[in-house]
Amino acid sequence: MNKGTFTGVGLGPGDPELITLKGFRALQAADIIFYPVSAESEGQYHSFSANILDQLQVYKPCEPLLFPMKGKGTQKFYDEAFLRIKQEYENGKNVVLVSEGDLFFYSTFGYIFKLAKEAKIPCRLIPGIPAFIAASALGNQPLAEKTTGLEVIAKPESFDAVSKALKHQSTIVIMKMSVLKGWHSFLKATGRPFLYAERVGTGNEFFTDNAEELEFRKIPYFALLIIYPENAN
């Protein structure tokens, strides 16, 4: 039996209209679509990707793959997910694995891609729009222009680490910022222009450039912060 194909599709940050035309066509051509889910609590699962697929109304068989967001033993889940993908691929199916945002920007897809390379399974990659790119459009402020640099920090260890990055006079993008508490006070102290955004592209989207609105706000996992240079307009 001839083997199938394996394609990775970045769905974008949440708005179904932000998927690329190439990515949408790949979904339409799929025999089966796999999407990641994470466990929020015992018996409760969540998937941003599933929400996007539902809105796109792609009428193809879809199957969840469990990927814990953190904790020990995560490699076991990657291995099990890849074996399921490999099974369909070897059965001649056109297999698609989707991921919210972009495939290679803090995405679970990267772990599966490594396993596919080790197994010598060719993979077509269709990038998607990462959340911080979509967020920058909400703020009506260029991320970088002329000679301005851009630095991305994920899960900052401390506010001191963020302050150190700010000395470079670059635009700083902070992903997974919920690991630190006290952003309201920190942003007021820096005095730098910023944009805070959470759940970009979804029905629960929220964004602000006012630190006061963050004083009592619970920062979710899918939140990010863009801190601009002092001379940004």
Side-chain angles (χ1 to χ4, degrees):
M1 179 181 292
N2 293 328
K3 294 180 179 179
T5 62
F6 179 37
T7 303
V9 175
L11 295 176
D15 183 342
E17 293 186 348
L18 288 181
I19 188 176
T20 65
L21 181 58
K22 189 172 185 177
F24 184 67
R25 285 174 174 166
L27 297 181
Q28 291 178 311
D31 292 316
I32 184 168
I33 300 170
F34 290 99
Y35 62 92
V37 300
S38 59
E40 291 189 327
S41 60
E42 187 174 348
Q44 298 292 321
Y45 298 93
H46 178 75
S47 174
F48 264 72
S49 293
N51 293 336
I52 299 171
L53 289 173
D54 287 344
Q55 293 177 79
L56 288 171
Q57 297 183 341
V58 179
Y59 300 111
K60 299 287 181 174
C62 295
E63 182 175 318
L65 297 174
L66 179 60
F67 296 116
M69 301 299 291
K70 58 184 178 179
K72 297 181 180 180
T74 54
Q75 186 60 48
K76 179 190 74 169
F77 292 92
Y78 301 139
D79 292 340
E80 291 176 351
F82 175 67
L83 287 177
R84 182 71 187 94
I85 291 169
K86 184 181 177 183
Q87 180 184 42
E88 294 292 348
Y89 166 80
E90 292 181 340
N91 286 336
K93 299 292 183 64
N94 294 325
V95 180
V96 170
L97 173 60
V98 300
S99 177
E100 62 267 12
D102 179 66
L103 297 174
F104 284 161
F105 189 76
Y106 299 114
S107 170
T108 299
F109 180 84
Y111 298 98
I112 301 299
F113 179 71
K114 291 177 182 177
L115 294 173
K117 286 185 67 177
E118 292 172 2
K120 301 188 184 307
I121 294 178
C123 183
R124 184 167 68 122
L125 305 175
I126 302 176
I129 298 173
F132 79 93
I133 294 293
S136 70
L138 295 175
N140 292 313
Q141 173 68 39
L143 269 176
E145 57 184 353
K146 297 181 180 179
T147 59
T148 302
L150 176 66
E151 183 174 349
V152 179
I153 302 173
K155 291 185 179 180
E157 296 180 355
S158 65
F159 286 117
D160 286 341
V162 180
S163 295
K164 185 177 180 180
L166 292 177
K167 293 179 181 179
H168 301 161
Q169 291 302 311
S170 298
T171 298
I172 308 298
V173 175
I174 302 169
M175 310 293 296
K176 305 177 183 180
M177 57 182 288
S178 60
V179 295
L180 292 180
K181 309 300 179 186
W183 285 103
H184 159 259
S185 299
F186 176 78
L187 291 169
K188 286 188 66 176
T190 64
R192 295 271 287 266
F194 73 91
L195 177 74
Y196 166 85
E198 63 184 51
R199 300 183 175 91
V200 178
T202 73
N204 296 319
E205 176 181 272
F206 172 82
F207 61 96
T208 184
D209 59 3
N210 182 355
E212 297 297 339
E213 293 190 46
L214 300 181
E215 184 173 5
F216 302 108
R217 190 169 191 88
K218 183 178 179 180
I219 307 296
Y221 180 84
F222 287 101
L224 63 88
L225 185 67
I226 302 173
I227 305 179
Y228 299 101
E230 291 177 333
N231 59 354
N233 295 321

